[in-house]
Amino acid sequence: MTAHNKAVEQIRDSYAAIPEDAAPRLAKATTNLFRFREPTKTASLSARDLDQVIQVDPETMTAEVQGMTTYEHLVDATLPYGLMPHVVPQLKTITLGGAVTGLGIESSSFRDGLPHESVEELEILTGDGRIVVARADNEHADLFNAFPNSYGTLGYALRIRIKLAPVKPFVRLTHIRFTDADKCMLALSEICESRSHEGEPIDFVDGTYFGPGELYVTVGTFADKAPYTSDYTGMRIYYQSIRTRPRDWLTIRDYLWRWDTDWFWCSRAFGVQQPLVRSLVPRRWLRSDVYRKLVGFDQRHGVTARLDRWRDRPVQESVIQDVEVPVERGAEFLEIFQSEVGMTPVWMCPLKATRDWPIYPLEPGKLYINFGFWGMVPLPRGQQDGYYNRLIEHAVHRLGGHKSLYSSSYYERAEFWRLYNGDSYWPVKRAYDPGGRLLDLYDKCVRGK
């Protein structure tokens, strides 16, 4: 029996041992979810030994990966072959299973869509305890198609076969400044459509909004050689360089993880962007998963809320979201967001779905801009927690967009199933979890059980 088969037997036995009246919850060493739940009756589902790269095949340009494997681990295994996943989500400890069943996006998404779009095969532990292999062309195609955005409510990915793409050793970056959001959105549309900038082909596109008159589009192009490379894993901070360096060079590995060292810009909340503090922090602690653990500790113990009360400051709401808005409505969204929320910076990442995915309802071939914003915002006097997040939800859907479910959501049940295609979800849910062992998508992602 192979190591993977042993790990599959272990998680199947763990699942079978969970009492019928307890909702299974996958035990993970790290998480990038931001749904902080109230304590409920759940049982931990062990997934130890499901965190390995099984095989990288440079001939077929594919990798066989266990579901709990992180992208950091996978990238370290593929780069020696001159390969990478088509879409590498921004943070090192996002797992393959998490990105496929939830959210994953990066600067190659304008061309290659979301991580699940390069998946060829899924081995899944279903809600009724079966182990099935799902592909787009076999008897479990309905499960394969519904799995993205299902957040573990249809089952758990045990093994994933994913397509890989060739890379070069370096990435040349060009940061293009705009003072007008409409012109920025038009440029993003033109660059993504032509897959070029100033007559040269590009491999990556994303952007950063620092305020109404300061936006940047960053294009990246693979290169065999580089005149120098920048290092943003120590004292220097990547997002700050966007405003001061029109041209930059990174190794491919440092490019893929350029956002991780400072969790985009969220590390400033912990003081580690101050030079003295940063010089004292070990480099191994400058990672998104370290910051995420600090946020989790704060949520569990209410440290920030207590300090705010002590300092007589307004109550703050956590506004941690990724939303997709059609590019032609992107400037309108930024105007609403600036006037109503006012949080900066905001990440901007263009994407196109390559085909229809029923539970992730983006129009295939249509260019969307993913806006990512993560932080705390003081609540207006008299408003309750959820004020800003509800406002954002309404704005996104009014503009023809879509919202990821990895964080807080406030939809009413009927509205949720209309927006997230309950007509496609429920037949698959009944087929693979007829007893309702796993929570449904609304109960898990909105009610936060």
Side-chain angles (χ1 to χ4, degrees):
M1 181 180 290
T2 67
H4 174 69
N5 289 340
K6 289 179 181 178
V8 169
E9 288 296 319
Q10 185 273 324
I11 193 172
R12 180 159 55 185
D13 291 345
S14 176
Y15 189 76
I18 293 175
E20 291 287 340
D21 62 344
R25 182 172 295 171
L26 197 62
K28 300 176 68 174
T30 184
T31 180
N32 288 281
L33 293 178
F34 283 84
R35 296 191 299 267
F36 297 98
R37 307 176 178 93
E38 295 296 326
T40 57
K41 186 175 182 181
T42 61
S44 179
L45 177 61
S46 172
R48 70 176 189 270
D49 303 327
L50 275 170
D51 60 354
Q52 299 299 308
V53 177
I54 300 170
Q55 181 185 21
V56 176
D57 187 336
E59 296 297 322
T60 62
M61 293 201 298
T62 61
E64 297 270 353
V65 184
Q66 293 180 310
M68 298 294 290
T69 305
T70 65
Y71 274 91
E72 179 180 29
H73 190 177
L74 177 56
V75 164
D76 284 346
T78 62
L79 285 185
Y81 295 99
L83 299 169
M84 62 172 261
H86 281 262
V87 180
V88 179
Q90 319 91 327
L91 307 180
K92 291 178 177 178
T93 55
I94 293 176
T95 63
L96 271 291
V100 170
T101 193
L103 176 74
I105 189 171
E106 241 295 3
S107 53
S108 58
S109 292
F110 78 100
R111 179 186 61 245
D112 296 325
L114 298 165
H116 57 264
E117 304 201 64
S118 56
V119 171
E120 292 186 336
E121 183 174 280
L122 290 165
E123 182 182 44
I124 300 169
L125 170 62
T126 63
D128 57 9
R130 287 179 288 162
I131 305 292
V132 304
V133 174
R135 296 189 301 273
D137 61 354
N138 73 358
E139 69 273 23
H140 300 295
D142 56 346
L143 178 60
F144 181 88
N145 292 327
F147 204 71
N149 210 46
S150 64
Y151 284 91
T153 64
L154 300 176
Y156 302 103
L158 308 180
R159 179 182 54 81
I160 301 165
R161 187 169 72 226
I162 185 171
K163 293 183 288 187
L164 304 174
V167 302
K168 293 184 178 180
F170 304 100
V171 179
R172 184 189 67 196
L173 301 182
T174 304
H175 306 302
I176 312 155
R177 178 169 178 167
F178 294 86
T179 57
D180 180 88
D182 284 300
K183 292 180 179 178
C184 181
M185 294 301 123
L186 180 60
L188 278 169
S189 182
E190 291 175 347
I191 290 169
C192 293
E193 182 64 28
S194 66
R195 300 188 182 184
S196 66
H197 172 64
E198 295 184 343
E200 294 189 8
I202 52 95
D203 298 292
F204 305 101
V205 188
D206 66 349
T208 312
Y209 170 87
F210 289 98
E214 188 181 8
L215 307 87
Y216 295 85
V217 171
T218 297
V219 296
T221 302
F222 279 128
D224 292 306
K225 298 179 180 179
Y228 65 88
T229 55
S230 297
D231 181 0
Y232 297 108
T233 63
M235 293 298 294
R236 300 167 69 187
I237 297 171
Y238 172 70
Y239 84 94
Q240 294 177 354
S241 74
I242 293 171
R243 309 173 88 169
T244 59
R245 306 188 68 174
R247 177 63 56 84
D248 206 351
W249 297 81
L250 293 171
T251 67
I252 177 58
R253 190 180 193 279
D254 282 350
Y255 176 78
L256 293 176
W257 305 130
R258 68 201 183 283
W259 295 117
D260 189 85
T261 301
D262 284 282
W263 205 12
F264 285 82
W265 31 79
C266 298
S267 64
R268 63 187 176 184
F270 307 102
V272 297
Q273 293 187 17
Q274 299 176 22
L276 178 59
V277 175
R278 198 174 185 89
S279 68
L280 298 173
V281 175
R283 282 197 180 199
R284 67 181 183 277
W285 291 2
L286 296 174
R287 290 173 54 99
S288 60
D289 54 332
V290 173
Y291 307 133
R292 173 58 177 77
K293 289 174 183 176
L294 292 174
V295 170
F297 179 88
D298 180 45
Q299 288 287 330
R300 288 192 301 272
H301 300 285
V303 177
T304 298
R306 292 180 187 181
L307 287 173
D308 286 342
R309 287 195 298 269
W310 181 66
R311 296 171 179 171
D312 198 28
R313 290 180 175 177
V315 174
Q316 297 189 83
E317 179 177 347
S318 175
V319 182
I320 300 175
Q321 302 287 354
D322 277 78
V323 302
E324 287 97 28
V325 175
V327 65
E328 64 270 18
R329 309 298 294 273
E332 189 177 349
F333 175 79
L334 284 173
E335 183 178 1
I336 295 169
F337 188 81
Q338 180 67 36
S339 63
E340 299 291 344
V341 183
M343 181 195 301
T344 58
V346 174
W347 188 48
M348 305 184 297
C349 186
L351 75 149
K352 285 184 181 180
T354 60
R355 70 176 183 84
D356 180 57
W357 298 90
I359 317 302
Y360 212 105
L362 300 178
E363 183 180 331
K366 184 179 181 64
L367 185 66
Y368 294 81
I369 304 298
N370 176 282
F371 295 101
F373 35 88
W374 316 284
M376 304 289 290
V377 184
L379 280 165
R381 188 176 298 275
Q383 295 294 343
Q384 301 297 314
D385 189 58
Y387 168 78
Y388 289 112
N389 284 288
R390 287 187 174 93
L391 185 154
I392 291 164
E393 287 178 355
H394 294 156
V396 167
H397 294 292
R398 188 169 69 250
L399 297 174
H402 178 67
K403 190 185 102 163
S404 170
L405 299 173
Y406 74 90
S407 188
S408 302
S409 296
Y410 293 87
Y411 302 103
E412 295 296 327
R413 192 180 293 271
E415 179 190 25
F416 176 86
W417 288 119
R418 176 177 62 82
L419 294 170
Y420 291 88
N421 203 354
D423 289 343
S424 293
Y425 175 84
W426 279 107
V428 182
K429 177 70 168 174
R430 286 190 288 267
Y432 291 93
D433 187 21
R437 291 287 316 274
L438 304 173
L439 295 172
D440 69 50
L441 192 60
Y442 182 84
D443 282 341
K444 185 165 188 178
C445 296
V446 181
R447 294 183 64 190
K449 288 185 178 181

